[in-house]
Each structure stands twice: as structure tokens, then as C-alpha cells.
Amino acid sequence: MRGMNILRLADLIAQGRIAGRRVFIRADLNVPQDDAGNITEDTRIRASVPAIRMALDAGAAVMVTSHLGRPTEGEFKPEDSLAPVARRLAELLGRDVPLVANWVDGVSVAPGSVVLLENCRLNKGEKKNNEDLARRMAALCDVFVHDAFGTAHRAEASTYGIAQFAPVACAGPLLAAEIDAITKALAAPRRPLVAIVAGSKVSTKLTILQSLAAKVDGLIVGGGIANTFLLAEGLPIGKSLAESDLVDEAKAVIAAMKARGAAVPIPVDVVVAPRFAADAPATVKPVAEVGAEDMILDIGPQTAAVLAAQLKAAGTIVWNGPVGVFEFDAFANGTETLARAIAASEAFSIAGGGDTLAAIAKYGLERDVGYISTGGGAFLEVLEGKTLPAFEILERRAAG
């Protein structure tokens, strides 16, 4: 991970290159809806407003599109329509936002106005990044703005192809903020750099663990992942969720960290229960005393205190995943303790992943985490050390 050189919408506005231009913004407006089609949570729509406002205030003719759900390409169904999004966007912008269907061959929009282009995944060839479709989209605009970090790990016509062929391609404020936060956390971190990687399975996070093992000063593992690491250290885990076939991989991560003078802290105590349930009796035990019928559902208070101290002393924290079953109050103490330690730390912190965001919201710590990443899959791919297609094409275009 290194610093990235990309063109930003703010740069173009400062240079006076937006007034009177046709600006095409790829936003992430993929919001949850109920069965009646009402939007149940509008964070993504609200997050897309700054880019749209910036372009409008600079005198651009603005087109915005997004995917919504998983429609079948070429087959329009009412439930796939961005109509509810257009209504909410109009409320937030305080102006009319017409919804335009069948827009690939031409869009009429005046400078100072905005239109929403119907669900881009309805276009045949969108997901496969069809070149003809991408060129037709690029022909609609003078400037393409990528502002959808949640799609940055996919090379599709409206995220990658259009960026390849548009006269100018840049990052919107939301994507730029993600790039800056990721760069700050991984390219030039203030040390010590501590990562928390938790989840039910090592297999889904193995490449992330391997990638981080080469970079971080401390690697805190939690959830089912921690149980596999306990097995690697020869400790009993009873009937806890773990992947015994990945013990060697866990050992390799521990060895890689040790070789660099870094560590994977192993819990000294855990919270166990006889079954996975909110009302199951919770018992704190030293890690070596876990019984055959026990399930480990959280780290113990002693372990939580040690890890909290480590987080408070960190320079940079990367957080992906709760360390226990925080949805059940009896097994939430570990996650809450670490979340509050991150909030209280002087470190720059970046958090991502659905469960992590749910934990931050549960404890009301949104304002105390340095940066909350909105793109689940994209955030994980960055932690894996992958170059995201969106970053790659924007860097290429910025280089001329």
C-alpha cells in the first residue's frame, strides 16, 4: 500500500474546469427497502449529496446513477427502479430530481440541474464491463466522477469502463476520503499499527491475516478466528466454532509476526456457555480450563483489559470484526471494551465491515472512530493488499 495520485472533483472545481460541463457521477445509492418499496435506511443517499452539491454549485449539468439490488440485465421490473431514491434525493437537495430511463444513448440536462439515471445494472453488459456500453456512457459526459467506494473492487461499465473512456475521470469526495483514510492507515501509518481481525472463519480472512502479518505491530484476532489460533497454541476450545484444518496457517501467521518482533496476543481468559443463545448462562474461565462441552463466545475481562491498554497506546488502528457475540449482551463485554478503548485512543482508527459498523452504532461511538469505511467488500480487499480496479484506473487517468 502506497500513496495514490488521483485527480479529485475538488481539484477540477478549483481549476474552474466544471462550469457548464456535463458531469456523470457514479454514486452508491444501493439502499435497503421494505416490501412496499420504502427506504428503511438512507445513509448512502445522504453520503452521496456532497459530490452532487459540489458539481451543481460549480455550474455543471449533473447526471447521477447507481445500482440498486440485483436486477436482471435488460429486464426492467418496478422493484428495481431508483424512483424511491430520486424522491429522497430531491428532498435532501431541495430541488426536483427527474428520473431518466433508457438513458444510454442520450441524456438532456441543463447546467445547474441534476437528473438521476435509472438503475445502471439494468443495462446489458454492465457487470461484464462491456466496452461498447462503457464508450456510450463515456460519450454522455465531459467529466466522470467515481464516488462509490462500495463498488471500487468491481470493474463494471459504470465504475471502470466509463472511467477509461471519459474525457476526464476523477474521484468524488466520498471515494477521495476513503483513499486518504486507507493511505493514512496502511501506506504511512503512525506506529504502533494494531489490527483487529475478527469473524467466524479463518478461511474468509486468511489472506487478510497473511497480508497484515507483514505490516502490523500487533494483530488481535477474535471470534471463531481466535478459536483456530487457540488450537494452534495447543489450547482447549471445547465445542467452539473453529477450523482445525487451518491450524498450520494460523501457526504460520503467528511465526511471521514473531519473526518481526510483533505478536498475536492469545486470550488469557474467555467467556463460555453451554450453547449459542442469548439466554445461555455465561461463565468466565482461564483459557486453559475450557471444558469439552463449553463454547467460547467472547474474550474474558482480563484479556479485554490487556488488549484495551494495547489499543490505547497504538498510533494507528485498523478494525474489522467484533471479538465476541456482541448481539447477545452476556457476550458483548469484549467487543464493547475494545470499541471504547479505540474511541478513547489517540490513534488514527479506521473501521470497516457490517458487523463492525453495527457494534460502533450499538455503543454510539460513530464520532469517536477516525474513519468509518462504507464499502464492506472493497475495504476487505484493501486489507488483503489488493489494488482495487477503481483506484488503478483513476491513477492511470491522472498520469495521463
Side-chain angles (χ1 to χ4, degrees), residues 13-356:
I13 291 171
Q15 294 160 9
R17 293 166 63 186
I18 291 294
R21 298 299 174 110
R22 294 172 305 153
V23 172
F24 186 117
I25 300 173
R26 173 57 160 100
D28 181 1
L29 307 171
N30 186 29
V31 288
Q33 294 168 283
D34 63 20
D35 292 340
N38 301 305
I39 294 166
T40 55
E41 212 280 325
D42 69 351
T43 303
R44 286 177 171 167
I45 303 176
R46 283 184 286 113
S48 74
V49 166
I52 299 167
R53 278 224 175 96
M54 281 168 76
L56 285 171
D57 292 349
V62 183
M63 298 162 261
V64 184
T65 195
S66 171
H67 68 290
L68 181 71
R70 300 175 184 275
T72 305
E73 290 186 1
E75 292 178 30
F76 177 81
K77 294 192 199 72
E79 62 266 28
D80 297 326
S81 176
L82 286 173
V85 174
R87 287 193 292 274
R88 183 68 186 120
L89 205 47
E91 288 169 8
L92 291 164
L93 290 167
R95 57 162 67 219
D96 197 28
V97 180
L99 181 65
V100 180
N102 305 316
W103 47 270
V104 172
D105 292 317
V107 177
S108 171
V109 55
S113 297
V114 56
V115 294
L116 184 62
L117 309 179
E118 190 56 278
N119 195 336
C120 60
R121 284 214 183 134
L122 290 167
N123 297 318
K124 279 194 166 162
E126 163 67 21
K127 292 194 78 162
K128 291 211 163 112
N129 190 23
N130 175 277
E131 184 175 329
D132 175 58
L133 175 62
R135 285 184 183 277
R136 283 156 70 196
M137 285 184 188
L140 299 174
C141 66
D142 303 302
V143 177
F144 168 67
V145 181
H146 196 322
D147 207 34
F149 179 67
T151 69
H153 59 314
R154 296 199 175 99
E156 297 178 350
S158 70
T159 62
Y160 190 94
I162 186 174
Q164 211 172 340
F165 303 120
V168 177
C170 68
L174 200 62
L175 188 70
E178 290 275 356
I179 290 172
D180 290 342
I182 287 163
T183 302
K184 192 171 170 182
L186 294 175
R190 207 171 65 199
R191 302 279 175 176
L193 166 59
V194 180
I196 301 172
V197 179
S200 53
K201 292 183 171 176
V202 171
S203 47
T204 56
K205 303 274 176 84
L206 185 60
T207 41
I208 295 168
L209 293 166
Q210 290 165 336
S211 174
L212 290 174
K215 300 185 182 89
V216 302
D217 304 301
L219 181 59
I220 296 170
V221 290
I225 292 173
N227 298 336
T228 303
F229 276 76
L230 289 174
L231 279 182
E233 292 284 19
L235 289 158
I237 62 163
K239 53 180 188 180
S240 310
L241 175 73
E243 291 169 293
S244 51
D245 55 329
L246 290 177
V247 163
D248 287 345
E249 281 80 353
K251 282 180 177 168
V253 169
I254 293 168
M257 292 285 288
K258 205 172 267 181
R260 294 175 40 248
V264 181
I266 298 298
V268 288
D269 59 344
V270 289
V271 183
V272 300
R275 62 184 194 282
F276 184 87
D279 62 352
T283 312
V284 176
K285 288 190 175 182
V287 74
E289 291 175 22
V290 173
E293 294 303 306
D294 288 334
M295 288 181 93
I296 302 171
L297 299 181
D298 194 12
I299 53 173
Q302 212 179 325
T303 301
V306 170
L307 297 178
Q310 189 179 350
L311 291 166
K312 281 184 184 153
T316 307
I317 298 166
V318 177
W319 179 20
N320 173 240
V323 294
V325 187
F326 78 101
E327 301 88 343
F328 300 164
D329 287 341
F331 310 104
N333 181 64
T335 299
E336 181 173 3
T337 302
L338 298 201
R340 295 199 183 282
I342 293 166
S345 176
E346 298 284 302
F348 171 68
S349 51
I350 177 169
D355 288 345
T356 313

